[in-house]
Amino acid sequence: MSDNEAALARAVLIHGPLSRRELTTRLGLSPASLTRLAKPLLDSGLLVELDDIADGSIGRPSRPLDIAPNSGCFIGMKLTGDGLYAVRTDIRADLLAEHERPIPDRDPDAVVGEVAAAVTALGADGLVGVGLGLGGNVHDGVVRHAPFLGWGEVDLGARLEQAIGAPVTVENDLVALTEAERWFGAGRGLPGFITITIGAGVGYGLVVGGQVVRTLDAIVGTGGHLPLDPYGPLCSEGHRGCSQAMLSSGSIAAQVSAALGRPVDYDETLRLASAGEPAARAVVAGAGIALGRMIALAANLSLQADVVLAGEGIGLFALAETEIRDAIRAGRSADAAEITIHVDETGFRAWARGAAAVAIQSAMARMQGAR
């Protein structure tokens, strides 16, 4: 597949179905060039022509191009310190099935066995590729450092490919989630945006010029310790009021547990805050102010005004939206662009879908390199 054919396939995959007129405008091609580029993709079965539609142009109706619905399936997985969350998707990362299982043993060989079992549970028929996202420094399938697993220099991609018998893409989970938002989610069509995730940790991803920023700092969690409240609690590394201390689900639950004198988890914390329990409500409001400050700071420094909020702790947004938006306004110039917030409420599914998205991207890259 040539570079131009790959660009055509990507445009149809991400934005399709698209009429030929829309494609010529989007890709800057002449009708003749589009026809020439589309022919091998149609012949191979990757693209299909849909029924005629009237697109407002003079002449015969247009036959939109779309990705073939039988282009295979993908499996995406989010690996945590104690669990595996997996989804089976189509080529547009739309959910077909999901599965989760515990990780009782963090030894790499044991984890490989659990991943293979998850693939079997979801079904390997029609499987084109597998993606796995995890928190840590990942490069070319090698997990260089994953502190929550206690791993260093583990060639996870090669081990998984041998066990599964299918191409595997291993990626930092935040990068993978941001890629999914860029291709198939709230960031589709945006030239740039910020991704902030809250849950067991706090993540910060960035898209500039239509590309996900993939520097070392983007994958080692530098967004987790931004100072947000000089009077806030301490994080595990001793930073007072940083984003990890103010926004991680464990820290929020710990603050409410201390106030109530009994242990509560994050889900109960949100339920108590929703019911108006004073201590829970105060902690959630404080977290909302901190999240608003983080959004404003990220937007000010990155010069991006679109923000995608995701992660398994995103239920905070609905309870503290007023505090979040007030803090954003307080942290931005009155002349700055208005912040647009896109909320992905799918929790762990968003992480797993991100892993499926990078598997889809890898499959498209393999097709491009095959010709």
Side-chain angles (χ1 to χ4, degrees), residues 192-213:
F193 62 92
I194 297 159
T195 300
I196 294 176
T197 62
I198 56 175
V202 179
Y204 168 69
L206 180 63
V207 172
V208 177
Q211 298 297 319
V212 175
V213 174

Side-chain angles (χ1 to χ4, degrees), residues 200 246 256 268 366:
M246 297 299 299
V256 176
E268 184 179 0
R366 288 194 299 274

Side-chain angles (χ1 to χ4, degrees), residues 16 32 91 120 122-123 148 168 170 190 244 269 294 308 328 336 343 352 365:
I91 196 170
T120 299
L122 286 169
F148 71 99
V168 175
V170 182
L190 296 176
Q244 187 82 13
T269 292
M294 182 174 181
V308 176
I328 291 172
V343 183

Side-chain angles (χ1 to χ4, degrees), residues 7-358:
L8 170 59
R10 280 195 303 271
V12 174
L13 173 63
I14 297 170
H15 303 287
L18 292 171
S19 71
R20 291 172 183 266
R21 183 183 185 187
E22 290 172 311
L23 282 166
T24 55
T25 300
R26 181 179 290 275
L27 299 174
L29 298 171
S30 68
S33 295
L34 178 63
T35 297
R36 176 178 55 81
L37 292 173
K39 186 178 186 306
L41 300 177
L42 290 164
D43 291 344
S44 70
L46 178 62
L47 297 187
V48 294
E49 287 186 308
L50 303 182
D51 292 339
D52 292 350
I53 62 168
D55 65 358
S57 60
I58 298 174
R60 65 185 181 87
S62 171
R63 301 192 69 190
L65 297 181
D66 200 5
I67 291 290
N70 60 346
S71 298
C73 297
F74 297 81
I75 290 177
M77 305 188 193
K78 157 72 169 177
L79 178 63
T80 72
D82 54 13
L84 186 67
Y85 300 82
V87 297
R88 180 180 172 94
T89 78
D90 63 13
I91 196 170
R92 283 199 170 102
D94 288 330
L95 185 70
L96 300 175
E98 54 189 315
H99 173 76
E100 63 180 81
R101 61 195 303 113
I103 299 293
D105 185 348
R106 297 178 183 176
D107 178 79
D109 289 335
V111 171
V112 168
E114 296 295 345
V115 171
V119 170
T120 299
L122 286 169
D125 54 302
L127 183 61
V128 176
V130 175
L132 187 140
L134 55 85
N137 184 348
V138 181
H139 184 72
D140 289 339
V142 177
V143 182
R144 291 181 169 175
H145 184 220
F148 71 99
L149 289 167
W151 289 1
E153 300 302 327
V154 175
D155 192 351
L156 187 61
R159 294 190 190 197
L160 288 174
E161 287 193 351
Q162 183 175 11
I164 296 170
V168 175
T169 304
V170 182
E171 183 59 272
N172 171 269
D173 54 2
L174 181 62
V175 168
L177 186 148
T178 305
E179 288 285 14
E181 297 292 354
R182 179 173 75 95
W183 270 37
F184 305 114
R188 184 174 57 178
L190 296 176
F193 62 92
I194 297 159
T195 300
I196 294 176
T197 62
I198 56 175
V202 179
Y204 168 69
L206 180 63
V207 172
V208 177
Q211 298 297 319
V212 175
V213 174
R214 289 172 172 263
T215 64
L216 177 61
D217 282 357
I219 60 176
V220 296
T222 52
H225 296 285
L226 296 174
L228 300 175
D229 186 345
Y231 305 106
L234 294 173
C235 77
S236 59
E237 297 185 16
H239 305 140
R240 183 168 298 281
C242 70
S243 46
Q244 187 82 13
M246 297 299 299
L247 295 172
S248 66
S249 54
S251 179
I252 290 172
Q255 293 174 66
V256 176
S257 296
L260 297 181
R262 65 177 181 86
V264 298
D265 62 15
Y266 185 71
D267 289 340
E268 184 179 0
T269 292
L270 297 187
R271 288 195 297 270
L272 290 170
S274 180
E277 199 288 321
R281 181 62 223 162
V283 171
V284 166
I289 293 170
L291 180 54
R293 288 174 177 166
M294 182 174 181
I295 291 170
L297 179 62
N300 290 344
L301 293 177
S302 69
L303 308 180
Q304 305 299 321
D306 283 272
V307 180
V308 176
L309 300 181
E312 69 275 19
I314 201 58
L316 171 73
F317 180 82
L319 294 177
E321 182 175 359
T322 298
E323 290 85 356
I324 292 168
R325 294 191 182 279
D326 286 348
I328 291 172
R329 283 190 290 270
R332 297 272 285 169
S333 167
D335 295 326
E338 183 176 354
I339 297 292
T340 300
I341 298 176
H342 313 267
V343 183
D344 185 333
E345 298 178 314
T346 57
F348 273 113
R349 189 183 299 164
W351 293 110
R353 188 169 176 260
V358 293

